[in-house]
Amino acid sequence: MNSLKTILVSVAMICLCNACNNENILSDGNADGSVKFNAEVQQAITRSGNGTTLYAGTSLTLWYGSINTGTSAEYTSTAGDGIWTASTPLYWDNLTPNSDGKYPFFALAGTNTLNADATGGSVALDQSINDGYNKADMLAAYSETSARRQTLAFTLKHLMAQVTIVLKNTDNASTAFTEEQLRTASATMSSLHTDYTTSFTASACSVTAGPGTPADVNLCPDASNATSSSTMTY
């Protein structure tokens, strides 16, 4: 009888240990089984950027498996403090790992200008107003784990290249632009690709110029320089 008890206890201990092997000890933050993550921006240099911190109220879409075709949830950092919440978050119990046992996640912020299968996309030709300019900015990052209920870490990267043009006014009063002329001046760059193809892998999220015909892009003036009489930045 004692031997039987010993066997039963041993079996129970083995089962308990096996159950613990595929999940790390949970923190209070992960106790509800929802997916938790941290996100920062890599080398944010755009005018709409904010160092490596996302703005308060920034939304981020967390995709599981693949972008646009996988399971997703919309998260918001209300205070811009790195705490992300969602009305309907992703839950670990609803996710199935890949054949290699890993859980692949993609984070996407900014404006999703991707096509349906996320193999490419395009941005607006007319970016002369802030809405068109801001909607050309898209950030992405990849993270994976083989253990459930981990706090994921994303380093978001701006996928589009930013072009900056500075118009400098002359010091000659007889030929200089007026403040109004400078404020309302337009700038266009020729032969730019607005279409792109994507590469989303475990090592990097990136885009390259698409196969479309290059075109002229109307640039957006920087509103912070709207009252300048000497320069205008686009």
Side-chain angles (χ1 to χ4, degrees):
M1 188 65 175
N2 287 339
S3 297
L4 179 58
K5 286 182 179 179
T6 301
I7 293 173
L8 291 175
V9 170
S10 298
V11 170
M13 289 296 292
I14 292 172
C15 291
L16 181 60
C17 289
N18 286 338
C20 291
N21 282 340
N22 58 20
E23 291 190 13
N24 280 10
I25 297 174
L26 303 184
S27 66
D28 291 341
N30 287 342
D32 65 351
S34 64
V35 177
K36 301 290 194 303
F37 61 89
N38 299 315
E40 64 177 15
V41 180
Q42 178 189 52
Q43 298 178 346
I45 59 172
T46 66
R47 295 200 302 263
S48 58
N50 186 27
T52 58
T53 304
L54 294 171
Y55 280 118
T58 295
S59 294
L60 179 154
T61 304
L62 186 63
W63 291 92
Y64 179 70
S66 59
I67 296 176
N68 282 0
T69 56
T71 303
S72 68
E74 190 84 3
Y75 290 77
T76 302
S77 181
T78 304
D81 55 3
I83 298 176
W84 297 87
T85 58
S87 58
T88 307
L90 296 183
Y91 286 92
W92 288 100
D93 287 345
N94 297 331
L95 305 178
T96 302
N98 285 341
S99 58
D100 59 3
K102 293 182 179 180
Y103 293 84
F105 293 88
F106 295 89
L108 200 68
T111 301
N112 186 343
T113 54
L114 294 161
N115 55 26
D117 60 3
T119 56
S122 63
V123 297
L125 284 171
D126 187 2
Q127 298 179 24
S128 60
I129 57 175
N130 277 317
D131 191 48
Y133 169 76
N134 290 330
K135 286 184 177 179
D137 193 20
M138 184 170 60
L139 302 90
Y142 177 84
S143 182
E144 65 180 22
T145 179
S146 56
R148 286 156 45 91
R149 303 198 183 192
Q150 300 297 292
T151 298
L152 305 170
F154 293 101
T155 301
L156 293 157
K157 176 184 178 182
H158 290 272
L159 298 184
M160 304 301 163
Q162 183 195 29
V163 176
T164 300
I165 294 178
V166 180
L167 301 182
K168 293 186 176 181
N169 209 352
T170 178
D171 293 330
N172 187 333
S174 63
T175 58
F177 289 109
T178 66
E179 182 179 303
E180 179 65 13
Q181 288 174 324
L182 195 61
R183 184 186 67 80
T184 59
S186 61
T188 300
M189 287 197 69
S190 301
S191 302
L192 294 183
H193 276 277
T194 56
D195 66 317
Y196 58 88
T197 57
T198 60
S199 175
F200 296 125
T201 67
S203 58
C205 295
S206 61
V207 299
T208 55
T213 303
D216 296 347
V217 176
N218 297 326
L219 304 184
C220 178
D222 186 354
S224 65
N225 290 330
T227 59
S228 173
S229 59
S230 58
T231 63
M232 190 65 192
T233 302
Y234 292 80

